[in-house]
Amino acid sequence: MAHHSPNSSSPSANPTNRLAHIKGHMDGSNPTVFTSDNVPQAPEDPLFGLMAAYRKDNFEKKVDLGIGAYRDNNAKPWVLPVVKKADERLREDPNLNHEYLPIAGLPEFTSAAQKLILGADSPAVKDKRVVSFQTISGTGAVHLGALFLSKFYPRRTDQPVHFSSPTWANHNQIFSNVHLPIKTYPYFSPQTKGLDFEGMRSTIEQAPEGSIMLLHACAHNPTGVDPTREQWKELSKIIRAKNHFPFFDCAYQGFASGSLGNDAWAVRYFVEQGFELCIAQSFAKNFGLYGERAGAFHFVTGAGSDAQNTIARIGSQLAILQRSEISNPPAYGARIASLVLNDPELFTEWEVNLRTMSGRIIDMRKALRENLEKLGTPGSWKHITEQIGMFSFTGLTEKQVLKIREDAHVYMTKNGRISMAGLNTGNVEYVAKAMDKVVRETS
């Protein structure tokens, strides 16, 4: 008969374990193998934690500047009028059903999304060297791209993915999940509250050859600071010389400046220069389809006699990845966007809606800066109007951010980023006064 040694790992060998085992049997429970050693409690997502704190706050004049979603001048979500029209058309369609979409998504949507970001006359579209997949919004597009690169991009010297410092917080998690090493390049200058172009340029130049460069196409999140066209041109030369791989993340086309072409300029320029690259594209902000998760991932291969074969191979592997993760994407948001993108009349109305949103945000930038300057708030505030898109990096410190939340019930992320969409004619003066007070009391 076998005897257990005193060091046996059996539950009966350890009196404490044995007691827990007996107790478990008596009260009908089973001890979990997922102990806190194996599964530690994860920290709460800071943004969703901020939103929860805001919702619990009963103060009448509270202001939410954390939310990454558009609000109208009454601080309410805005369903774009063109989306309402498209929605009505969808519901009246007798052929509408709930069947599965293809693995790559709704073809009318992906082809229109491709033309939107690359331009209808793009050489890549004409040469049929682009493959597009419908994704779970921009997050899903970044993930699909990251997953593909982790499996197939030749990183002979373990080249990292380079992000801007700072970047959208989710970039770190998405690329870490697929086991790609991460580095950052300087981006935001706390001194000028603008672009640290020299730092960005030199770091990209010194990065190991063949690194993946994640670039925000427009309306950089979280800073609202974008390179100029001349700076983009200079970056493209460095990226080409170092054989880096550009990965564009575009979440704000049309929403940033009100011009779809203007906001896609950097992407189109890189394609014209012959780069092989990929693009994550979101329709959350520019269509207001936040919860519908409509997005696209585009892979553009370089020009060449074998380009169509190359893109077919890449597409075949993307299809396998997509199938194993989501099988096929959700239909509703893509159908709405597709109707608008493919109908000239609705498309024109959409452009008007985009100008309404971007115009209101630009007005709020002007109003906040004017109020701060009128109050004589210490420091320069010109960066508020020089930055673009939904977000502004105010320059407030974490200490000031926590104090303004405590004293004035104004909620923003700890890094001092504010969503301009949270401002309106009813609260911009209140926010400016709260900012003025906190700057004076802590500087």
Side-chain angles (χ1 to χ4, degrees):
M1 192 174 100
H3 292 277
H4 286 297
S5 73
N7 298 325
S8 166
S9 59
S10 144
S12 59
N14 183 322
T16 312
N17 283 354
R18 194 157 177 265
L19 276 171
H21 209 67
I22 293 163
K23 186 175 181 295
H25 279 303
M26 287 172 68
D27 67 12
S29 67
N30 281 312
T32 181
V33 296
F34 299 100
T35 63
S36 57
D37 289 340
N38 298 329
V39 188
Q41 179 68 40
E44 182 181 48
D45 182 286
L47 194 57
F48 285 87
L50 186 73
M51 286 159 63
Y54 172 80
R55 281 195 294 270
K56 280 186 201 158
D57 190 334
N58 295 320
F59 186 68
E60 194 186 339
K61 282 185 161 183
K62 66 179 180 176
V63 181
D64 179 10
L65 301 180
I67 186 72
Y70 182 77
R71 295 289 179 261
D72 66 14
N73 198 46
N74 299 311
K76 296 281 186 285
W78 192 53
V79 179
L80 275 61
V82 75
V83 166
K84 284 184 178 172
K85 276 189 188 171
D87 192 30
E88 279 166 25
R89 274 197 209 174
L90 263 184
R91 277 184 284 127
E92 287 164 8
D93 182 354
N95 299 314
L96 183 69
N97 58 47
H98 298 285
E99 294 295 293
Y100 291 126
L101 293 183
I103 292 171
L106 191 68
E108 318 79 282
F109 167 74
T110 52
S111 63
Q114 191 184 97
K115 290 188 186 96
L116 186 76
I117 187 69
L118 298 173
D121 57 351
S122 169
V125 174
K126 284 179 179 166
D127 298 346
K128 296 188 170 65
R129 51 188 176 88
V130 190
V131 67
S132 300
F133 275 69
Q134 184 191 329
T135 57
I136 309 290
S137 202
T139 306
V142 174
H143 170 69
L144 183 61
L147 189 60
F148 176 83
L149 293 173
S150 75
K151 281 179 78 83
F152 298 107
Y153 183 65
R155 294 168 44 258
R156 292 178 187 89
T157 55
D158 203 29
Q159 299 98 315
V161 180
H162 280 74
F163 305 144
S164 61
S165 175
T167 191
W168 180 49
N170 223 6
H171 282 148
N172 292 287
Q173 193 65 55
I174 292 167
F175 281 88
S176 298
N177 282 354
V178 297
H179 311 294
L180 283 172
I182 290 163
K183 287 220 168 141
T184 61
Y185 52 82
Y187 193 83
F188 183 74
S189 163
Q191 285 72 43
T192 64
K193 299 183 182 67
L195 183 65
D196 176 6
F197 183 66
E198 190 45 49
M200 180 188 189
R201 194 191 63 72
S202 63
T203 305
I204 290 173
E205 199 163 28
Q206 288 158 24
E209 186 161 335
S211 295
I212 298 161
M213 290 293 157
L214 190 100
L215 305 162
H216 295 234
C218 66
H220 182 273
N221 177 5
T223 68
V225 174
D226 288 347
T228 64
R229 289 187 179 185
E230 288 310 307
Q231 287 170 335
W232 275 121
K233 286 177 182 178
E234 195 176 332
L235 289 171
S236 81
K237 284 179 191 158
I238 296 163
I239 291 169
R240 160 63 43 75
K242 293 291 302 222
N243 289 315
H244 295 327
F245 182 85
F247 188 149
F248 279 99
D249 189 359
C250 185
Y252 298 95
Q253 188 184 358
F255 188 98
S257 68
S259 161
L260 291 158
N262 189 54
D263 293 346
W265 187 87
V267 174
R268 293 177 187 181
Y269 179 77
F270 271 65
V271 172
E272 278 166 25
Q273 297 306 300
F275 279 94
E276 186 163 54
L277 52 80
C278 64
I279 307 151
Q281 181 185 28
S282 168
F283 289 90
K285 313 305 196 272
N286 55 12
F287 268 96
L289 290 170
Y290 302 99
E292 307 310 335
R293 316 311 290 142
F297 175 75
H298 309 282
F299 197 104
V300 181
T301 193
S305 57
D306 204 34
Q308 289 187 25
N309 280 338
T310 302
I311 210 68
R313 284 188 288 104
I314 289 166
S316 72
Q317 293 292 348
L318 285 166
I320 286 174
L321 297 177
Q322 176 104 314
R323 175 76 171 109
S324 68
E325 297 232 325
I326 63 168
S327 281
N328 39 58
Y332 177 71
R335 283 180 174 146
I336 293 278
S338 179
L339 268 179
V340 176
L341 294 172
N342 290 298
D343 181 301
E345 194 181 313
L346 291 179
F347 190 93
T348 303
E349 187 177 341
W350 178 48
E351 290 184 296
V352 173
N353 292 172
L354 283 168
R355 286 193 291 274
T356 298
M357 291 191 288
S358 60
R360 196 185 85 73
I361 282 175
I362 290 164
D363 287 347
M364 285 303 103
R365 286 186 179 279
K366 287 177 188 162
L368 181 60
R369 179 180 168 181
E370 280 168 14
N371 273 281
L372 288 166
E373 288 176 347
K374 196 164 69 182
L375 290 162
T377 309
S380 166
W381 298 98
K382 66 179 192 298
H383 59 280
I384 301 283
T385 52
E386 286 171 355
Q387 294 168 4
I388 192 171
M390 184 174 283
F391 300 113
S392 179
F393 239 38
T394 58
L396 294 183
T397 63
E398 186 175 329
K399 183 182 168 190
Q400 290 170 329
V401 166
L402 295 173
K403 186 166 171 55
I404 202 171
R405 189 192 310 175
E406 183 69 31
D407 295 353
H409 305 261
V410 173
Y411 289 75
M412 63 184 78
T413 53
K414 282 182 183 176
N415 57 12
R417 183 198 81 168
I418 61 172
S419 171
M420 299 307 298
L423 293 173
N424 55 59
T425 52
N427 68 18
V428 68
E429 191 179 340
Y430 174 78
V431 169
K433 283 179 176 168
M435 285 173 69
D436 178 75
K437 182 172 180 283
V438 81
V439 168
R440 288 180 193 278
E441 287 178 2
T442 54
S443 54

